[in-house]
């Protein structure tokens, strides 16, 4: 069934999802809305998952943008469960301002706010376990 015309959508895709050994995964991606959601008074989404088959690591699905103002739910994120060995569960925001999203580039979000969880790979050019001093932060050592 096609999504209604006029509904803001986001294409979620990835050319190659791989496991820890670099092999393409095969399995399912379970995508959950926050519960029953209607769009402009029409039935749209149930509380159950949208199930997407992943074959040879390829993902391609079009979903309603979670910020379409005509949706009955507001301030929500999609809950994603990766149905393959080593898969994770996470919440993601798919706003209409970004209609084409590479799954591999998504930041994990706080499910209650939809705000991306901060991720730091380095601090002041240091990586690994980093110890910062007051001088690293430009703070007054005397307090």
């Amino acid at each position: 069934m096609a999504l209604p015309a006029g509904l803001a959508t986001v294409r979620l895709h990835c050319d190659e999802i791989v496991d820890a050994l670099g092999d393409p995964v095969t399995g399912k991606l379970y995508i959950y809305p926050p519960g029953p959601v209607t769009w402009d008074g029409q039935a749209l989404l149930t509380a159950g998952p949208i199930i997407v088959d992943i074959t040879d690591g390829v993902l391609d699905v079009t979903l309603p943008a979670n910020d379409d103002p005509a949706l009955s739910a507001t301030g929500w994120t999609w809950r994603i469960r990766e149905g393959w060995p080593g898969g994770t569960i996470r919440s993601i925001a798919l706003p209409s301002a970004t209609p084409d999203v590479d799954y591999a580039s998504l930041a994990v979000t706080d499910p209650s706010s939809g705000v991306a969880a901060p991720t730091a790979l380095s601090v002041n050019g240091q990586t690994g376990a980093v110890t910062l001093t007051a001088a690293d932060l430009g703070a007054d050592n005397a307090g």
Side-chain angles (χ1 to χ4, degrees), residues 96-114:
S96 57
T98 313
D100 190 76
V101 175
D102 185 339
Y103 186 69
S105 71
L106 287 173
V108 177
T109 59
D110 177 326
S112 63
S113 69

Side-chain angles (χ1 to χ4, degrees), residues 25 38 59 75 94-95 101 104 120:
V25 301
T38 60
L59 163 67
L94 294 175
V101 175

Side-chain angles (χ1 to χ4, degrees), residues 22-92:
D23 297 322
V25 301
T26 296
K28 297 186 182 302
L29 195 69
Y30 300 89
I31 306 171
Y32 298 84
V37 176
T38 60
W39 177 76
D40 202 24
Q42 303 174 44
L44 181 62
L45 300 170
T46 66
I50 297 165
I51 302 170
V52 181
D53 289 317
I54 307 297
T55 304
D56 296 326
V58 177
L59 163 67
D60 199 343
V61 63
T62 299
L63 298 165
N66 61 294
D67 64 347
D68 187 308
L71 291 174
S72 60
T74 59
W76 59 280
T77 57
W78 291 97
R79 187 170 58 92
I80 307 287
R81 183 172 64 84
E82 299 170 343
W84 52 79
T88 63
I89 297 174
R90 57 179 162 165
S91 294
I92 62 171

